[in-house]
Amino acid sequence: MKSLPVAVIAVLFMTLMSTVFFFPTTPSTDALDMNYTVVVLGGILLLSVIWYYFPKYGGVHWFTGPVPNIDDVIKSEFHASTRDSAEEKKNGVTVDAAPA
């Protein structure tokens, strides 16, 4: 739980910096000096939303989210370790620490 304060501070800092980067570099701007970050970010967000909800081909129609598979890995490692230890007991083999 020690990482929670670090994560909160990091997210707050990223939010602050993202907001700061939207501002122009000088107080009085014209079209040449304007910071177009808002325009570019808005365009990317708009295109992403359109692509996601696009009829028939958009992600909303086929994306099911991440598939959890960590349980399979943990189960297979557990079964492999119990199988190995059972074979060692049956054969009378003991495993020492790994050589240096």
Side-chain angles (χ1 to χ4, degrees):
M1 250 359 215
K2 294 180 182 181
S3 62
L4 181 63
V6 174
V8 169
I9 291 170
V11 169
L12 290 175
F13 181 74
M14 289 186 334
T15 304
L16 173 70
M17 293 312 296
S18 297
T19 305
V20 167
F21 285 137
F22 284 127
F23 290 107
T25 55
T26 59
S28 59
T29 60
D30 56 2
L32 294 175
D33 296 330
M34 182 180 161
N35 185 351
Y36 286 97
T37 306
V38 175
V39 177
V40 172
L41 182 64
I44 290 172
L45 289 175
L46 180 67
L47 289 174
S48 298
V49 168
I50 289 171
W51 187 9
Y52 184 73
Y53 289 107
F54 197 74
K56 188 177 178 181
Y57 299 109
V60 72
H61 302 291
W62 56 266
F63 184 69
T64 58
V67 178
N69 58 5
I70 191 70
D71 290 336
D72 297 336
V73 173
I74 291 172
K75 287 178 186 175
S76 65
E77 288 178 0
F78 175 73
H79 290 304
S81 66
T82 55
R83 183 186 65 237
D84 292 343
S85 63
E87 288 177 4
E88 289 170 1
K89 286 180 184 177
K90 184 175 99 175
N91 295 332
V93 177
T94 58
V95 178
D96 296 331

